[in-house]
Amino acid sequence: SSGRSTIGAETDLDDFSIAFNPGYLASLLAPIDGQVRMWFYTPTKPALIEPVDDDTYRAVCMPVRLK
């Protein structure tokens, strides 16, 4: 079984799709209260995740390939 979820985001990218393992992403986001900043470079490179208002936590998440 597969599923799909989409979340809203502010971005300056055009036509960019990226996917993550939802359980792994949720575990990286769990320690964060408030807004999150995610840095993407390409859909196949790791993304940097950090809270907007806290510079003590950073996580890296590898995307999964989209078919």
Side-chain angles (χ1 to χ4, degrees):
S1 162
S2 66
R4 175 180 231 145
S5 293
T6 304
I7 58 171
E10 292 179 26
T11 180
D12 58 0
L13 301 171
D14 293 325
D15 197 31
F16 188 88
S17 294
I18 194 165
F20 298 97
N21 175 303
Y24 186 60
L25 182 60
S27 70
L28 295 175
L29 295 174
I32 301 173
D33 289 326
Q35 292 186 332
V36 174
R37 180 179 293 122
M38 295 181 75
W39 299 94
F40 306 113
Y41 297 99
T42 71
T44 58
K45 301 270 188 206
L48 174 64
I49 301 167
E50 60 186 6
V52 171
D53 298 327
D54 181 4
D55 62 356
T56 63
Y57 178 84
R58 286 190 179 152
V60 176
C61 191
M62 190 68 190
V64 296
R65 293 189 187 266
L66 295 171
K67 292 183 181 183

